[in-house]
Amino acid sequence: MNLALPSVLLISLSFPAAAQNRVIDDGQSRAQPLCTESATVYQWDNRQLISDAPALMKLPDGTLLCSVQLWSRDDAIVQELYGRNRCLIFASTDEGATWQERSRIPFNTGKFLLHNGLLYFIGSGIKWQGLHITSSSDHGKTWSNPVQLRNGKVYAASTGWVRRGNTLYWAADDMNRSVKDRAVFAFGCDLSRDPLDTASWQFSNDERHPGLPQSLGRGRHNGGKWLEPNVVDLDGELLVIVRVRASQGKVDGVVPNMAAICSLEETENDELTLEFSHYYPFPGAQNQFHIIKDEERELFWMTSNQVTGRATDSYRGWGKERRFLMLHYSRDAQNWFPSGVLAMWRKETQAFNYCTPLIDGNDLLFVSRTSRDAANQHDNDCITFHRLENFRKTAVDLQPGED
């Protein structure tokens, strides 16, 4: 099946990703975030369109790829505008300055995988039905017929995964139960075999959310739900770290900065077992976060959103404020040091969120689900690309040593 689309050049606009140094009434200058410029990958005017977490990949020839998965609360709208192929693949051959549409595929969420010269895209199908994989042998210009790996309703937003030896480990949401009983599951792919062969994949049990304890604010939350898990490898131990979103009425994120830690074990029979372990303080875990490993420094890096606790103009309340995108680093993917504010907006209706970071030499690249002129901070109106040069200089040395 050829799902290619003639390339369409889109004008890429540079704009301040955050407030420049501003002179306040007291005459003092305020600090800038780490990134103050970005490029627009794709933007739209229809306020009923929303995108999910964009994925980012750098190909061996230097080409950057970014996915834009569009959806709407009224599916007829996105169906009319984009049909089934509502995941748009964009390419940049000038280090992210400008972007051109390269192809479209029938996915609602997902990530790129580069393996043995082939490009893969793994994620949720249309309307989040099933987990699927497709491949491309021409850098994303055309794609194979998607192969379904798992049935049922699956939410597989771009989050951190682990490649260890010949195995890929990732995790996603099972959406076939009630919101309160939403489950997460992990899965692995034997990369010594064909990823398009369903026999190459192994799935764990579904682990249901145990419920956030009422001791964390009795009467102030509904026990919450968990979603959007990351997988990390900590000295050979696989951890699945899950976002926890607690709500009170129509206000979400009322217990911010709390994640769920799960253990992921592989038996001698190659079976995967996922088990909840404990809750742990985690900066920005009330919203989506994305963890990657920097092998050069043996550090984990994470993008997440910090709330001020004072927002009054955010969709579904102060806990969903997303105008401050933070960058953190850690030795163990659990205890985090702040690098600083990575990017920010001034208005509470604006956001940089659902990011996918990528290490490119000395730079940190990331793409963002961005609300610039949207109705609110959740229902975004564009995807933006950012580059933080020499990102490791934002971290102090965490390794112990002699004075």
Side-chain angles (χ1 to χ4, degrees), residues 34-300:
L34 299 173
C35 285
T36 57
E37 294 185 353
S38 67
T40 301
V41 178
Y42 188 58
Q43 61 185 348
W44 53 92
D45 296 325
N46 190 326
R47 287 198 169 188
Q48 296 189 71
L49 286 177
I50 310 169
S51 79
D52 214 289
L56 182 63
M57 168 63 70
K58 186 173 184 179
L59 299 176
D61 67 357
T63 299
L64 294 171
L65 297 180
C66 176
S67 68
V68 179
Q69 297 90 222
L70 294 160
W71 65 281
S72 173
R73 295 183 182 90
D74 182 357
D75 189 70
I77 293 174
V78 70
Q79 177 68 30
E80 179 181 354
L81 293 173
Y82 298 95
R84 288 184 50 80
N85 296 327
R86 55 192 65 177
C87 174
L88 284 58
I89 308 298
F90 288 85
S92 174
T93 56
D94 54 11
E95 299 186 337
T98 60
W99 294 82
Q100 298 79 38
E101 185 174 339
R102 179 163 283 193
S103 58
R104 297 183 180 185
I105 51 178
F107 284 77
N108 258 119
T109 64
K111 288 191 67 170
F112 296 107
L113 170 68
L114 190 63
H115 179 61
N116 286 344
L118 287 178
L119 178 68
Y120 298 89
F121 194 84
I122 309 164
S124 307
I126 299 303
K127 298 183 182 180
W128 302 278
Q129 291 299 321
L131 183 71
H132 301 259
I133 183 171
T134 181
S135 68
S136 173
S137 59
D138 55 9
H139 293 180
K141 296 175 183 177
T142 60
W143 297 85
S144 65
N145 287 317
V147 174
Q148 184 164 304
L149 304 173
R150 178 183 170 107
N151 297 323
K153 201 169 185 180
V154 173
Y155 182 55
S158 179
T159 55
W161 63 19
V162 168
R163 292 184 68 170
R164 188 169 69 183
N166 284 324
T167 307
L168 172 74
Y169 299 96
W170 197 21
D173 304 4
D174 180 281
M175 300 172 63
N176 295 295
R177 300 176 177 87
S178 67
V179 171
K180 186 176 181 179
D181 291 329
R182 191 165 179 162
V184 296
F185 63 93
F187 49 99
C189 179
D190 182 351
L191 296 176
S192 67
R193 305 174 63 176
D194 181 5
L196 295 178
D197 183 354
T198 57
S200 303
W201 296 81
Q202 182 71 35
F203 290 84
S204 77
N205 56 294
D206 291 351
E207 184 74 346
R208 296 191 185 189
H209 183 219
L212 199 65
Q214 284 298 314
S215 58
L216 295 173
R218 184 170 300 278
R220 292 182 53 196
H221 67 84
N222 63 353
K225 71 173 184 178
W226 61 0
L227 65 162
E228 298 160 0
N230 286 252
V231 181
V232 300
D233 181 355
L234 180 60
D235 301 326
E237 178 185 6
L238 291 173
L239 301 178
V240 177
I241 306 176
V242 193
R243 170 190 174 187
V244 177
R245 192 188 80 188
S247 304
Q248 184 181 41
K250 294 184 179 181
V251 179
D252 293 334
V254 295
V255 183
N257 308 312
M258 189 64 64
I261 311 296
C262 302
S263 63
L264 178 60
E265 297 183 354
E266 191 168 9
T267 69
E268 295 180 355
N269 298 324
D270 294 330
E271 295 179 350
L272 294 175
T273 301
L274 181 65
E275 184 177 10
F276 168 74
S277 175
H278 59 281
Y279 291 103
Y280 202 79
F282 219 85
Q286 75 283 348
N287 289 314
Q288 188 260 13
F289 55 91
H290 196 131
I291 302 172
I292 60 174
K293 181 71 177 292
D294 178 13
E295 300 294 345
E296 179 175 316
R297 290 285 183 88
E298 289 296 313
L299 288 176
F300 296 94

